[in-house]
Amino acid sequence: LIMMGMGGVGIKGEPDPMYLATLHCSACHKDNQRFAYIEPKVCNNCHEKGFDKILVEQMRFVTSRMRLLRSLLTKAKRRHKDAAIPVIDEAEVNYLLIREDGSNGAHNIKYIKYLLDYSIANLRQTVN
């Protein structure tokens, strides 16, 4: 779903360029183990030299933002434990989608960043 730019809440997604190019998962995930971690250096086979370093930086950014989102979700749920707050539900959907994707941005960094920004901004208003 992430590669297609779908599944999240609050943001109109765009497909990742690799999805639009009809790349199959096996283009990167070449081993027999389904959903195995891929070393970022593999990306240099098709992308320019040094792309792996950019990818690692993006993955660190997403990991950091996911920690912040998880923290804000915890605070918001505590503060509003007896109320149905749509912003909290939306943020949780986005958090779970990104976590379950497991790529930390590699599958569609633009969409993931938009989902994180949207959810974090809305939760900040809820917990302040």
Side-chain angles (χ1 to χ4, degrees):
L1 285 174
I2 291 284
M3 285 192 80
M4 291 185 288
M6 297 173 65
V9 181
I11 295 295
K12 183 178 184 280
E14 294 179 28
D16 186 79
M18 293 207 316
Y19 177 80
L20 293 174
T22 67
L23 247 59
H24 187 269
C25 301
S26 62
C28 302
H29 297 270
K30 295 184 183 296
D31 53 15
N32 294 330
Q33 190 178 4
R34 188 173 174 183
F35 305 121
Y37 174 78
I38 302 299
E39 284 295 326
K41 278 197 179 271
V42 169
C43 301
N44 291 342
N45 293 338
C46 298
H47 295 274
E48 66 215 31
K49 184 179 177 186
F51 184 84
D52 60 319
K53 291 172 181 40
I54 295 167
L55 180 60
V56 167
E57 191 175 302
Q58 289 176 346
M59 293 170 78
R60 283 187 188 130
F61 174 82
V62 169
T63 300
S64 167
R65 299 293 279 179
M66 285 291 282
R67 278 194 300 268
L68 174 59
L69 179 54
R70 185 179 60 227
S71 173
L72 288 169
L73 268 168
T74 300
K75 289 177 187 174
K77 286 179 180 181
R78 263 192 240 130
R79 180 167 285 172
H80 303 284
K81 61 182 167 194
D82 296 325
I85 308 290
V87 168
I88 295 172
D89 295 338
E90 288 180 352
E92 190 155 41
V93 166
N94 291 341
Y95 175 82
L96 293 173
L97 175 71
I98 296 166
R99 187 186 75 189
E100 291 301 312
D101 173 67
S103 74
N104 290 322
H107 290 155
N108 192 338
I109 188 63
K110 188 175 179 180
Y111 184 51
I112 287 176
K113 283 182 178 181
Y114 287 155
L115 290 172
L116 287 167
D117 289 348
Y118 173 82
S119 297
I120 289 168
N122 287 336
L123 282 179
R124 280 186 169 147
Q125 291 177 1
T126 304
V127 297
N128 290 332

